[in-house]
Amino acid sequence: MTPSRTTVEIATQPEVWREAVRTLPRHADALPRRGERVAVIGCGTSWFMAQAYADLREAGGHGETDAFAASRFPFDRRYDRVVALTRSGTTSEVLAVLARLSGTVATGAVTADPTTPVKESADALAVLDFADEESVVQTRFATTALALLRAHLEAEGALPEGVATVARAAEDAELALVRPLEQAVREAEQFTFLGTGWTYGLAQEAGLKMREAAGAWTEAYPAMEYRHGPISITGPGRVAWSFGPLPGGLAEEIRAVGGTLVAGGLDPLAELVLAQRLAVAVAEARGLDPDRPRNLTRSVVLADTGV
């Protein structure tokens, strides 16, 4: 059986993350300076990557950082820089925000295609064309954008304690590409993804991948919030997947109610690669084509952005 295009692109991630590190010096103009007050915007997957980066940057002491869905950007707040994440460079809400901010604040964009309208909307671009995708469902561009931003923090001496280098994350991603997906996980009826700090954005992205590719029933929560109601959904045939260490006692509670716990111990970004593989596997088991997800297009272009 010929692998899906999405599967092929997922498998390239360790190398494209390494390429992001190698190309970091050429992207300096688009990235935040130490001490700047920064907002990062995106839509869908890019918003979740923005959330992960915002947590990483603040925790590493590089500067105050907020993350917003582009349609919810607060124009009455003052920032030193606004960074947009947009694979296509055509996302309507992102372009609308950049247009409104033009001339009032420094802007940068991380994109896969420098020929699209974002080149006229942002002051500077970080172009990751080597991570561009044919797939509708984002995988490698999103993780590579976050790898670039993470590598920038690393170069600035601002990686939070306990967060590994991108080089180590790429090594773990290679393991994630070959690690077997347990039958109980592949056949589960429901999936809850949990994260702490910067990994909560990854948990949300894992849930989105499962919904987009496989139409699966998924939820995502900060790990400490899981006890405050969501654990009620856990039981036999249902998965709780942790991106990073769980709070004390939570693993035992999940198992006690019959849930299947996934806590693989890989770098959280590599764990996302494993979740991407699961999304494809579940889609194909359900007779769906992960390359042609229902009701989705590669970029959302709207007549009215609401911005």
Side-chain angles (χ1 to χ4, degrees):
M1 177 179 175
T2 302
S4 67
R5 183 61 193 169
T6 306
T7 295
V8 172
E9 290 172 349
I10 287 170
T12 66
Q13 287 174 107
E15 184 51 37
V16 293
W17 297 355
R18 295 182 180 112
E19 181 65 11
V21 175
R22 288 191 288 267
T23 63
L24 176 62
R26 74 177 68 151
H27 304 309
D29 288 348
L31 302 180
R33 281 58 163 168
R34 182 182 289 273
E36 286 184 332
R37 188 168 189 251
V38 172
V40 192
I41 62 171
C43 296
T45 288
S46 292
W47 177 33
F48 298 143
M49 297 300 102
Q51 290 179 10
Y53 171 62
D55 263 301
L56 276 173
R57 185 171 184 262
E58 280 210 4
H62 200 256
E64 184 177 354
T65 318
D66 295 325
F68 300 102
S71 61
R72 299 290 297 163
F73 185 79
F75 289 96
D76 58 342
R77 293 190 190 178
R78 308 314 304 165
Y79 292 99
D80 300 310
R81 186 176 305 274
V82 173
V83 177
L85 306 183
T86 170
R87 174 180 67 171
S88 68
T90 62
T91 306
S92 297
E93 301 98 303
V94 169
L95 296 178
V97 171
L98 293 174
R100 282 190 60 176
L101 294 175
S102 179
T104 66
V105 62
T107 59
V110 182
T111 187
D113 190 346
T115 68
T116 55
V118 73
K119 71 178 180 180
E120 307 297 339
S121 302
D123 297 331
L125 297 183
V127 178
L128 307 181
D129 49 1
F130 53 87
D132 201 0
E133 299 160 316
E134 295 178 11
S135 298
V136 172
V137 174
Q138 279 201 61
T139 55
R140 74 180 180 190
F141 174 77
T143 60
T144 303
L146 184 56
L148 176 77
L149 294 165
R150 182 170 161 180
H152 182 243
L153 294 177
E154 181 184 338
E156 297 265 305
L159 268 186
E161 184 178 354
V163 177
T165 64
V166 175
R168 175 59 186 273
E171 292 175 358
D172 277 6
E174 290 176 336
L175 298 176
L177 290 171
V178 298
R179 179 170 290 184
L181 296 165
E182 296 180 15
Q183 184 176 357
V185 176
R186 288 186 286 106
E187 296 179 353
E189 64 172 344
Q190 190 274 339
F191 305 83
T192 300
F193 297 96
L194 305 174
T196 301
W198 74 281
T199 71
Y200 174 50
L202 302 185
Q204 292 195 86
E205 170 59 7
L208 180 62
K209 287 290 90 70
M210 293 291 292
R211 292 190 293 275
E212 288 179 329
W217 174 15
T218 68
E219 301 179 11
Y221 300 96
M224 288 296 290
E225 288 298 309
Y226 187 55
R227 290 187 177 96
H228 296 275
I231 195 170
S232 64
I233 206 170
T234 303
R238 297 177 181 178
V239 168
W241 187 317
S242 175
F243 286 79
L246 283 169
L250 189 53
E252 292 76 13
E253 291 183 43
I254 291 168
R255 295 188 180 103
V257 297
T260 298
L261 176 64
V262 178
L266 298 174
D267 184 276
L269 198 56
E271 286 281 343
L272 181 55
V273 173
L274 194 61
Q276 293 169 348
R277 288 182 54 219
L278 176 64
V280 171
V282 172
E284 292 175 343
R286 295 180 177 184
L288 302 175
D289 183 350
D291 290 344
R292 295 174 177 81
R294 293 178 295 188
N295 307 323
L296 295 178
T297 57
R298 191 174 181 277
S299 176
V300 177
V301 178
L302 305 171
D304 182 1
T305 64
V307 173

